[in-house]
Amino acid sequence: MCGIVGYIGDKNAYEIVINGLRRLEYRGYDSSGIALYNSELNVCKTKGKVEKLVKKAKKNISLEANIGIGHTRWATHGEPNNVNAHPLISNNGSLVIVHNGIIENYATIKNELIDKGYNFKSETDTEVLVNLIEYVQETENVKLGKAVQLALSQVVGAYAIAVFDKKKPDEIVVARLGSPLAIGIGESEMFIGSDVTPFLDFTRKVIYLDEGQVGVLRNHKETKFYEISNDSIISPNIETLELELSEIEKGGFDHFMLKEIHEQPKAIIDTLRGRLKLNKGIIKLSGIDNNLNKFTSANKITIIGCGTSWHAGLVGEYIFEKISRIPVEVEYASEFRYRDPIINPNDIVIAISQSGETADTLAAMKLAKEKGAFVFGICNVVGSSITRESNSGTYTHAGPEIGVASTKAFTTQITVLYLMALKIGKAKGIISNNVFNKYLAELNLIPEKIEKSLSFNNKIEEIADQIKDSTNCLYLGRGFNFPVALEGALKLKEISYIHAEGYPAAEMKHGPIALIDENMPTVVIATAKGHYEKVVSNIREIQSRKGKIIAIITEGDKDVKEIADYYIEIPETIESLTPLLTTIPLQLLSYHIAVKLGKNVDQPRNLAKSVTVE
Ligand code: F6R
């Protein structure tokens, strides 16, 4: 995920582009950059955040310009550094581009361009695109808009781009497919943004460029829009913005947490993209590919993490043991670092962290490395400390998570653990091709099944209304869904401040059952193939003590539906994949309870997004 900004008009382009980048920084902040034209092309870029760019730009380039584009990057191709930062310039030094998205066939195009004499400075797919546009422009002898259109018709992938030519600095060409792009229309000026926040201060008139469209934006002259595929001219809708800035930053959701809950289908698609190759029946995960022997010969895996990431690790324990038959221990990083853990040769330590900055996890990794373990990181934030400390690793690609309560990070961490376990299980010959392919097919369907689970939002809100005044709540699950019960309880605790406990369902009779009465609701995960009959017995035990039951059940369930006070259905899938679905209603339930209680959902008291102290 990246943010792009652009401006052409009579105002100072630098100020508008920089302020726009500040507002889009939630989209990624691995690097940032700006290109301005005023008798010469001035490009300034830097690894890191927009404020760093501001300092560098002030020292190094002229800030006077009426045309400019800018970018804040969440790295996909190439490590985040100054070279890979956008904007990127074409070989003849004339075209400059910013891009949000992924060009999937960039390697093929790059090789073709290399054969034609092009050279590349960065590792990015974007530099390939800008050179393809230049090549088309020169060989076809066409204007920039046409060159962009022809070049994009050769491209497979997702993009929102803004590009201009220093030889003709009176227009910016934009295009989109799969990534958002909004155009603000002012008096003799045009604004560009990945969302509307960069130009909300200047205009309320907006065009949301449609999929597969190109726009040639000019300040004083006619602006043109047409379809990439067939050249036909279009007249896009001009909409009037009525939203406030703060609302738009949350994408129209009331809270970042709700937005992030709803982003999970996309986050998982992004996590699977380029890795789960259904038609080839393979999983590509370079961190594992490059170390496959280590994993297939591992004696033991220790997973470390904190909070929600620790819960993802617990799901990982069940997955790895089932699919790849490797013994797994899951440790709180904060405990691991102060024990004297036994690490043997051939042991692997997997560190899980959304932020990549959690101090306990970082310290535990360092200890594991000192003891000779191979440390593998699963992380969401590109270039963070934990990614640097890992021997190898993989990103979750959930996109920035702003709400303090972790949601999409959890489900994408579990997704990565599935990919790892499946790849290793297949390489070890533990699972057959048939089973492997069945998992791939089901995993591929998870985003749409999450979408379906999200559609019960209103029903969950009604249930929240019924239980919001409870002071305690119990969460029960078994097998793969025991960690989900823990995570459900954590979500409720941290944002609603209601005391909640997660337990393996069968443990209830060893103590927690003493708490059950008519004032204590119990959330029970009762999936069809998850020790169903035994969980049904637990439900009956709770009900005979007047406890209220909120059941998470599989579509088609009859028994629990009849006896539970409230139920929420999830679509059917392989039992070991159910945590990706059962988690969704629990997130929504906590969210709605907290909102109804008037709590600060995105910034709960005493918590911080990235815990960099012990
Ligand atoms: C809970 C939550 C925290 C984090 C924990 C670890 O919703 O957000 O429990 O999961 O602080 O953080 P990371 O994953 O960044 O290491």
Side-chain angles (χ1 to χ4, degrees), residues 342-605:
I342 299 165
I343 304 280
N344 290 310
N346 286 348
D347 279 6
I348 289 177
V349 170
I350 299 178
I352 306 180
S353 174
Q354 187 285 129
S355 62
E357 303 295 345
T358 302
D360 284 324
T361 310
L362 203 50
M365 288 171 78
K366 287 181 180 157
L367 177 70
K369 271 171 91 179
E370 272 165 35
K371 288 183 172 283
F374 173 76
V375 179
F376 189 90
I378 298 178
C379 198
N380 194 36
V381 177
V382 177
S384 55
S385 305
I386 285 176
T387 63
R388 288 198 300 270
E389 195 59 43
S390 309
N391 294 109
S392 180
T394 188
Y395 286 112
T396 45
H397 295 311
E401 194 181 61
I402 297 164
V404 163
S406 196
T407 51
K408 59 180 180 168
F410 180 63
T411 43
T412 52
Q413 286 163 350
I414 296 174
T415 304
V416 164
L417 289 163
Y418 282 121
L419 292 174
M420 292 172 68
L422 285 166
K423 193 164 175 71
I424 297 161
K426 190 178 176 208
K428 283 179 73 177
I430 305 286
I431 48 170
S432 65
N433 275 350
N434 265 353
V435 173
F436 181 79
N437 288 334
K438 189 162 178 244
Y439 265 106
L440 293 200
E442 271 303 312
L443 203 46
N444 198 46
L445 290 174
I446 289 293
E448 70 187 64
K449 292 188 178 180
I450 292 183
E451 206 75 70
K452 182 137 194 230
S453 309
L454 289 168
S455 70
F456 297 116
N457 185 42
N458 291 350
K459 181 172 181 188
I460 296 168
E461 189 176 352
E462 284 164 23
I463 300 172
D465 213 34
Q466 299 303 311
I467 61 169
K468 66 176 193 313
D469 298 319
S470 314
T471 46
N472 292 292
C473 192
L474 192 61
Y475 284 72
L476 301 178
R478 281 196 85 148
F480 293 96
N481 283 297
F482 156 53
V484 177
L486 296 181
E487 173 62 7
L490 177 64
K491 287 286 91 84
L492 188 66
K493 276 185 263 212
E494 66 184 332
I495 60 169
S496 71
Y497 319 144
I498 294 174
H499 172 245
E501 297 286 344
Y503 266 93
E507 275 292 302
M508 185 188 66
K509 57 186 173 294
H510 298 289
I513 197 164
L515 294 168
I516 305 280
D517 63 15
E518 65 274 24
N519 300 318
M520 167 112 148
T522 303
V523 179
V524 185
I525 304 167
T527 48
K529 292 167 205 151
H531 312 282
Y532 182 76
E533 284 76 20
K534 294 184 196 306
V535 177
V536 172
S537 302
N538 295 139
I539 292 176
R540 292 194 191 281
E541 287 157 14
I542 294 166
Q543 288 193 315
S544 54
R545 285 155 185 89
K546 297 197 169 53
K548 287 231 169 350
I549 296 289
I550 300 112
I552 313 299
I553 56 171
T554 310
E555 259 173 9
D557 174 291
K558 289 203 180 74
D559 300 352
V560 177
K561 219 178 206 176
E562 267 177 28
I563 57 175
D565 297 274
Y566 313 99
Y567 66 84
I568 306 155
E569 289 171 298
I570 55 143
E572 203 180 347
T573 187
I574 301 173
E575 179 59 22
S576 53
L577 294 177
T578 55
L580 290 170
L581 302 180
T582 51
T583 301
I584 309 299
L586 301 193
Q587 294 170 343
L588 286 170
L589 187 65
S590 311
Y591 170 80
H592 286 300
I593 291 174
V595 170
K596 285 175 191 297
L597 293 175
K599 306 296 183 206
N600 185 342
V601 175
D602 282 332
Q603 288 160 342
R605 68 182 180 204

Side-chain angles (χ1 to χ4, degrees), residues 3 37 50 97 104 201 215 276 285 287 408:
Y37 181 83
V50 176
I97 193 171
E104 287 169 14
D201 308 324
L276 189 160
L285 213 53
K408 59 180 180 168

Side-chain angles (χ1 to χ4, degrees), residues 241 258 292 436 447 459 526 608:
L241 288 170
L258 188 61
L292 197 56
F436 181 79
K459 181 172 181 188

Side-chain angles (χ1 to χ4, degrees), residues 279-319:
N279 47 1
K280 292 191 181 150
I282 55 166
I283 289 171
K284 258 181 95 28
L285 213 53
S286 57
I288 301 290
D289 289 320
N290 299 339
N291 299 288
L292 197 56
N293 278 346
K294 283 198 174 67
F295 279 93
T296 52
S297 60
N299 290 329
K300 190 181 87 180
I301 292 178
T302 303
I303 302 180
I304 52 174
C306 302
T308 293
S309 296
W310 180 74
H311 293 154
L314 286 178
V315 179
E317 177 176 19
Y318 284 85
I319 301 170

